[in-house]
Amino acid sequence: MFKEFKEFAIRGNVVDLAVGFIMGAAFKSIVDALTEGVLNPIIGLVTAGIDISDLAVDIGGISLQYGLFIDAIIKFIIIAFFMFLLVKSINRLKRKDEEDTPTDKSCPFCKTSIPLEATRCPHCTSALETETIV
């Protein structure tokens, strides 16, 4: 059982998840600092000095702190936007790597472009060598 747990724990996905979790926690502190140190004061300046996170309504002896909810929404939007930019950048790099990988080769007889896996040219029907011809 310990061997199975060890295999599970050191598998790539678990390690990637752990790294992502740690990076997310560190990124949260950056977003908190941005929200509390930059955005909330700007919003407070626009709204005549009101701090969003302090907004609350007292109903029946309880305090509903809807300002904390608004603050959490702002933080979520910031995190979601930066995650979108990160994923978009990673996808662009992946596409660039895929574009750099050749998918075709040239037939040595008729010079027609053919798939790398082809063993016979579909244009001139010549048998091709098994090594890749670029």
Side-chain angles (χ1 to χ4, degrees):
M1 188 160 122
F2 179 73
K3 182 180 176 184
E4 290 174 336
F5 176 75
K6 180 180 165 187
E7 289 174 6
F8 169 77
I10 60 175
R11 248 209 233 109
N13 293 342
V14 174
V15 174
D16 291 344
L17 181 63
V19 170
F21 182 78
I22 293 167
M23 293 297 293
F27 189 70
K28 181 191 177 304
S29 66
I30 293 171
V31 171
D32 287 343
L34 174 68
T35 305
E36 294 167 13
V38 178
L39 294 180
N40 283 352
I42 292 172
I43 293 171
L45 182 66
V46 172
T47 59
I50 299 172
D51 185 8
I52 289 178
S53 60
D54 292 337
L55 296 176
V57 172
D58 292 327
I59 300 176
I62 62 169
S63 179
L64 299 176
Q65 298 176 331
Y66 67 92
L68 293 175
F69 179 69
I70 294 171
D71 192 48
I73 289 173
I74 291 170
K75 290 177 184 177
F76 173 78
I77 291 171
I78 292 169
I79 290 172
F81 179 70
F82 280 105
M83 291 294 104
F84 166 74
L85 293 178
L86 178 68
V87 169
K88 186 176 177 178
S89 299
I90 290 171
N91 287 341
R92 187 178 325 127
L93 289 174
K94 283 183 181 179
R95 278 194 303 268
K96 186 176 181 182
D97 287 345
E98 289 171 1
E99 290 172 1
D100 292 343
T101 305
T103 57
D104 293 344
K105 61 183 176 182
S106 179
C107 173
F109 303 102
C110 68
K111 305 301 182 199
T112 302
S113 179
I114 54 175
L116 284 175
E117 301 84 25
T119 56
R120 187 170 292 276
C121 177
H123 183 69
C124 69
T125 67
S126 298
L128 304 172
E129 296 178 20
T130 56
E131 64 184 47
T132 304
I133 302 169
V134 180

